[in-house]
Amino acid sequence: MNKVIIFKNLVESAEGAYKGENYLKALQLLYKALSLGCTFPEREIAEAYQLRGIINFKLGDIDRSIDDLNESILINPKDDLSFYLLGLFESSNSKYKEGLNNFDKAIKLNPNESDYFNIRGETKQFLDQYDEAIKDFNKAIKLNPNEPDYFNNRGESNQFFAKDDEAIKDFDKAIELNPNESDYLNNRGISKFSLHQYDEAIKDFDKAIELNPNEPDYFYNRSRSRWLLEQYDEAIKDYDKAIEINPNDPVYFYNRGRSKSLLDQYDEAIKDFDKAIELNPNDPDYFNNRGMSKSLLDQYDEAIKDFDKAIELNPNESNYFYNRGISRFSLHQYDEAIKDIDRTIYFDPDCYEYYERRGDFYFVIGEYFEAIEDYDKAIDLDPSNSYCYTSRGESKFYLNKYKEAIRDYDIAIDYGYNDAEVFALRGFAKFELMQYDASLKDLDNSIKKNKEYNSNAYIIRGNIFKIKGCYHLAMLDYDKAIKYDSNLVKGFYYRALLKKLQKNFKDALIDCTHGLLLIYKDSSLDHQKEFYDQLFDLKSELLKNIRSKSYKQLHLKI
């Protein structure tokens, strides 16, 4: 039998096997046909190489599929389909530039095939050439306005440029043409998410999940919308489902951990961060977030180890230094904590929060001038920051700059900071300036806003009542101060002074003794040791008074 006829019969049988998805048999038949060494008919020989290339590609042998397509083109360089397929195979092998070159040739040979423009556009997306990709999708849509994939692909490119309104129009059209494709709904949900339309985005993700409940990313995307709506429990359920479908994606564990931490489930959050780190030990955010959870559990040493690792992986992220600084400060490692905040400011000198925090650190260690400098800088960056005005005012208070402190408190209140604290602080400053009536007004306002917070406010108001001779009201305030803070040493001191003034020496002595015992027993009250000498001296004086009174009573009896 003629070799050409045998060749044609073998190729025809291979085509039948290919259509029946019996790829191995088809491949065997094509190898046999092409081994005959026929040189004619050239077109059919080229098509045989083309088909063998397609089959090799389906069987995962990309190199051989590319070799076959090159052979086909060598025989028939006018076949646009061979260039298209070669480009497709190269692109699938991440050879995008080579693929692009072959799509160009396919389009030059056949400029009326919409799929060629579409696949060239997709390849340009991989090369981040989104502007050019959109041009190709426009051409594909012009040639065939009834193909939903073209609109979907153009929508994805518009997403890259944050043109989500335009993207949604494209996804709308894709969904109109094919309402049962879950990816289109998912993509539209992503654009709505980017536009902060979280409820609408969830509706799209719901529909995508209904169409395809086995795609973990749909659950993940829905969880992100729920997370931003502060629906953390619902978000966790979506992460659970995504993990059930794909337990090997660290991002799912990481984000579930973040949700749990926002629900104060820090131990459970740490377990998720552990798993995320196990799956990907090179992401610094995983260590950083685990460190934050440990810090919130007061596990500061362990938290610092995580922040150290995050910094090792990315030494240019300011937040990692910031978080480590917070933990170090909690361990009273003040110098090291300030160095970490210095580093955050080096990386991000325009973030007011970093100056605010360093100012807080300086304030706690009594470096009030340095604290004021940082609060000044924070206020320059955020002029309506009522917290910094309040904190700067408090620093000035401790430098005995009471009038300047009051001005800062006034500004904080003008900016809407109406917390009990700021009125109490302003009241304290006015007390030091002996503006007793004005101080009383602020202290009354503070106590009205928060009765239990204001132990110190009760003390100062009690002192004013005492100065005014209203001993009964003063005693009531000292009693309340001690009621709301039983460790308030100065509460016992001032109440003892008032009882001494009322010649109730024995009860005054009891208060003195109680205050001294608090300082002896509780090291956390070291900051109140300033009252130790005053309490000791008062106790000595009271004992003398009690002994003198007892002597007089004994003399009278004799």
Side-chain angles (χ1 to χ4, degrees):
M1 185 182 293
N2 188 303
K3 280 201 303 183
V4 173
I5 295 173
I6 296 172
F7 171 81
K8 288 183 177 182
N9 288 338
L10 288 169
V11 170
E12 185 178 347
S13 297
E15 288 172 346
Y18 171 74
K19 289 176 183 178
E21 299 184 3
N22 190 344
Y23 300 134
L24 288 176
K25 182 178 180 181
L27 197 61
Q28 291 171 349
L29 290 167
L30 287 170
Y31 271 107
K32 190 173 182 179
L34 291 167
S35 68
L36 293 171
C38 296
T39 57
F40 181 86
E42 288 185 348
R43 179 168 181 169
E44 292 185 24
I45 294 170
E47 287 176 352
Y49 279 107
Q50 186 184 93
L51 179 59
R52 193 172 74 176
I54 293 170
I55 295 170
N56 275 320
F57 180 77
K58 285 185 175 292
L59 292 173
D61 193 339
I62 295 175
D63 289 335
R64 285 185 177 176
S65 69
I66 289 173
D67 289 342
D68 281 335
L69 264 296
N70 279 320
E71 191 66 33
S72 177
I73 289 168
L74 186 65
I75 296 169
N76 183 10
K78 299 294 183 181
D79 187 354
D80 53 280
L81 181 59
S82 288
F83 285 104
Y84 166 74
L85 291 170
L86 179 59
L88 189 65
F89 299 162
E90 288 172 332
S91 295
S92 70
N93 202 28
S94 301
K95 296 179 179 178
Y96 301 117
K97 291 182 179 179
E98 293 87 339
L100 202 59
N101 181 55
N102 281 301
F103 295 137
D104 289 342
K105 292 176 180 177
I107 289 169
K108 186 175 182 180
L109 289 167
N110 183 3
N112 296 312
E113 177 50 63
S114 59
D115 277 346
Y116 296 172
F117 287 97
N118 179 63
I119 193 63
R120 188 171 72 176
E122 289 181 353
T123 304
K124 288 175 179 176
Q125 284 179 323
F126 282 111
L127 293 170
D128 295 331
Q129 299 174 9
Y130 293 98
D131 267 330
E132 293 302 312
I134 288 173
K135 292 177 184 177
D136 275 337
F137 298 136
N138 289 341
K139 184 66 177 178
I141 289 167
K142 185 177 180 180
L143 289 168
N144 181 6
N146 296 312
E147 175 49 59
D149 274 350
Y150 302 166
F151 290 97
N152 179 68
N153 290 338
R154 188 171 68 180
E156 289 179 341
S157 289
N158 278 320
Q159 281 179 330
F160 175 81
F161 291 111
K163 296 179 179 178
D164 288 290
D165 287 316
E166 292 301 310
I168 286 171
K169 292 177 184 176
D170 278 332
F171 298 135
D172 285 344
K173 186 63 179 179
I175 291 165
E176 176 190 326
L177 291 168
N178 182 2
N180 296 314
E181 176 50 62
S182 57
D183 278 345
Y184 304 162
L185 289 152
N186 179 62
N187 286 336
R188 187 171 70 178
I190 291 170
S191 281
K192 289 176 179 178
F193 173 89
S194 298
L195 293 171
H196 311 297
Q197 300 172 7
Y198 305 124
D199 287 313
E200 292 302 310
I202 286 172
K203 291 177 184 177
D204 276 338
F205 298 136
D206 287 344
K207 184 65 177 176
I209 289 167
E210 180 185 327
L211 290 168
N212 181 6
N214 297 313
E215 174 50 61
D217 278 348
Y218 299 168
F219 291 96
Y220 170 71
N221 289 334
R222 186 171 68 180
S223 70
R224 292 196 304 154
S225 291
R226 287 175 164 170
W227 194 84
L228 287 168
L229 289 171
E230 299 182 7
Q231 299 172 1
Y232 303 124
D233 284 315
E234 294 303 310
I236 287 170
K237 290 177 184 176
D238 276 337
Y239 291 129
D240 289 344
K241 189 64 181 177
I243 289 167
E244 178 187 326
I245 298 169
N246 180 9
N248 297 312
D249 193 324
V251 174
Y252 302 159
F253 288 97
Y254 168 66
N255 282 287
R256 187 172 70 177
R258 291 174 68 207
S259 295
K260 289 176 178 177
S261 68
L262 287 167
L263 291 173
D264 300 334
Q265 300 172 9
Y266 303 120
D267 286 315
E268 292 302 311
I270 288 170
K271 291 177 184 176
D272 275 336
F273 297 137
D274 287 344
K275 186 64 178 179
I277 289 167
E278 178 188 327
L279 291 168
N280 179 9
N282 298 312
D283 192 312
D285 280 344
Y286 299 172
F287 290 95
N288 178 61
N289 278 270
R290 187 172 70 177
M292 290 169 65
S293 288
K294 289 177 179 177
S295 179
L296 289 165
L297 288 171
D298 298 335
Q299 299 172 6
Y300 301 117
D301 286 313
E302 292 302 311
I304 288 170
K305 291 177 185 177
D306 275 335
F307 298 134
D308 287 344
K309 185 63 179 180
I311 290 166
E312 177 189 326
L313 291 168
N314 182 3
N316 299 313
E317 175 52 57
S318 59
N319 278 333
Y320 305 158
F321 289 95
Y322 178 81
N323 291 331
R324 187 173 69 179
I326 299 295
S327 286
R328 284 176 163 172
F329 186 82
S330 298
L331 291 173
H332 308 298
Q333 300 172 4
Y334 300 127
D335 289 337
E336 294 303 312
I338 288 171
K339 287 178 184 177
D340 273 336
I341 305 302
D342 290 344
R343 196 69 177 164
T344 67
I345 291 171
Y346 171 80
F347 286 121
D348 190 355
D350 296 322
C351 179
Y352 78 88
E353 186 179 355
Y354 296 158
Y355 295 97
E356 176 186 299
R357 194 61 57 240
R358 190 172 66 180
D360 290 343
F361 290 0
Y362 279 127
F363 176 84
V364 169
I365 63 175
E367 301 286 350
Y368 301 120
F369 288 108
E370 288 80 357
I372 289 169
E373 285 183 16
D374 275 334
Y375 293 135
D376 286 343
K377 184 64 178 178
I379 288 168
D380 286 342
L381 293 167
D382 183 18
S384 61
N385 188 328
S386 58
Y387 173 84
C388 282
Y389 284 107
T390 302
S391 298
R392 187 174 71 178
E394 199 169 358
S395 297
K396 290 175 180 177
F397 176 90
Y398 282 102
L399 292 171
N400 301 326
K401 298 180 179 181
Y402 304 122
K403 289 182 180 179
E404 291 184 31
I406 289 169
R407 279 197 289 271
D408 275 339
Y409 299 142
D410 289 342
I411 295 170
I413 291 168
D414 288 341
Y415 277 122
Y417 186 49
N418 292 311
D419 193 86
E421 178 189 23
V422 70
F423 286 100
L425 292 171
R426 190 170 69 174
F428 301 159
K430 289 176 179 177
F431 174 81
E432 296 295 335
L433 293 172
M434 293 186 289
Q435 300 172 3
Y436 299 130
D437 289 332
S439 178
L440 272 177
K441 185 177 179 181
D442 275 338
L443 295 171
D444 287 345
N445 200 350
S446 177
I447 289 168
K448 184 179 179 181
K449 287 177 178 294
N450 189 341
K451 292 181 180 179
E452 296 187 14
Y453 157 78
N454 276 294
S455 294
N456 285 317
Y458 283 115
I459 292 290
I460 301 302
R461 191 173 71 172
N463 289 346
I464 295 172
F465 284 138
K466 178 183 169 186
I467 291 167
K468 288 177 173 287
C470 302
Y471 298 153
H472 176 68
L473 292 176
M475 189 63 74
L476 287 174
D477 272 347
Y478 296 146
D479 288 344
K480 287 177 182 175
I482 292 168
K483 174 186 175 183
Y484 292 127
D485 185 355
S486 59
N487 291 322
L488 191 66
V489 174
K490 63 182 172 182
F492 290 98
Y493 171 70
Y494 285 117
R495 190 169 70 176
L497 281 178
L498 180 57
K499 288 177 179 178
K500 173 181 173 284
L501 188 63
Q502 294 174 319
K503 300 192 183 302
N504 185 356
F505 301 130
K506 288 185 178 179
D507 284 349
L509 182 61
I510 291 171
D511 275 343
C512 276
T513 304
H514 198 123
L516 287 168
L517 285 172
L518 283 172
I519 294 173
Y520 287 141
K521 292 181 177 180
D522 193 342
S523 62
S524 68
L525 300 178
D526 284 351
H527 63 287
Q528 298 193 59
K529 280 188 175 179
E530 61 183 284
F531 287 96
Y532 177 83
D533 290 338
Q534 298 172 66
L535 282 165
F536 189 84
D537 291 342
L538 180 58
K539 181 179 178 182
S540 298
E541 186 179 347
L542 288 167
L543 284 169
K544 287 179 183 178
N545 285 328
I546 291 169
R547 287 170 186 154
S548 175
K549 186 176 179 182
S550 298
Y551 175 78
K552 287 178 182 178
Q553 287 174 344
L554 178 62
H555 181 72
L556 286 171
K557 285 180 182 178
I558 293 171

